[in-house]
Amino acid sequence: MRDDEARWGLIALVLSVAGLAVSIYLTVAHYAEPQLLACSESGTINCAKVTTSPQSVILGIPVAVLGLPFFVAMTGLNLPVLRRGPGWLPTARIGAATVGILFVLYLVYVELFEVEAICLWCTSVHLLTFVLFGVTLAGAQRRTTV
């Protein structure tokens, strides 16, 4: 495995684990108390308003919970032992990252235009997903140019 490919893979793994950690935190906060969120509860930055809004649940499942399988999957797909795995793995990584970024775009729209508030913890997940998407694409590009 080339150093560049290993480096992209390590970055993707770190981003995936960080996203999983924040998703776990948001899930615990959802089921425990919104006050558990270390975030403002007034004005535009209002984590409680976002995480307790009707839009924070899709088909009866809290959005925070939906982040868990995504980041578990991305963590698994980015494990070093799988970096040189079957040929379908890069496509699976790109597919999963694409699903993640599309969902993030939807969630950002909901925060800005429906809930009219921003959750900083949610934004951290959005940024991690966005960067993970870019790193996944860059890593796939490096693999095809080798």
Side-chain angles (χ1 to χ4, degrees), residues 9-50:
L10 179 61
I11 293 168
L13 180 62
V14 168
L15 291 167
S16 300
V17 170
L20 180 59
V22 178
S23 292
I24 290 169
Y25 174 69
L26 286 168
T27 299
V28 169
H30 177 85
Y31 286 110
E33 292 290 326
Q35 293 82 1
L36 186 63
L37 292 169
C39 182
S40 171
E41 290 189 28
S42 62
T44 303
I45 307 298
N46 190 332
C47 293
K49 182 176 180 183
V50 172

Side-chain angles (χ1 to χ4, degrees), residues 49-119:
K49 182 176 180 183
V50 172
T51 60
T52 60
S53 72
Q55 294 87 346
S56 71
V57 177
I58 297 175
L59 300 174
I61 303 169
V63 170
V65 173
L66 295 175
L68 296 174
F70 170 72
F71 284 112
V72 165
M74 289 305 293
T75 298
L77 288 169
N78 286 300
L79 288 173
V81 71
L82 295 179
R83 290 309 301 172
R84 296 297 252 176
W88 56 265
L89 275 174
T91 303
R93 285 185 199 103
I94 291 170
T98 300
V99 168
I101 201 69
L102 291 173
F103 194 59
V104 160
L105 291 172
Y106 164 75
L107 292 174
V108 169
Y109 169 82
V110 167
E111 282 188 64
L112 293 175
F113 301 106
E114 293 183 19
V115 179
E116 298 178 344
I118 300 290
C119 169

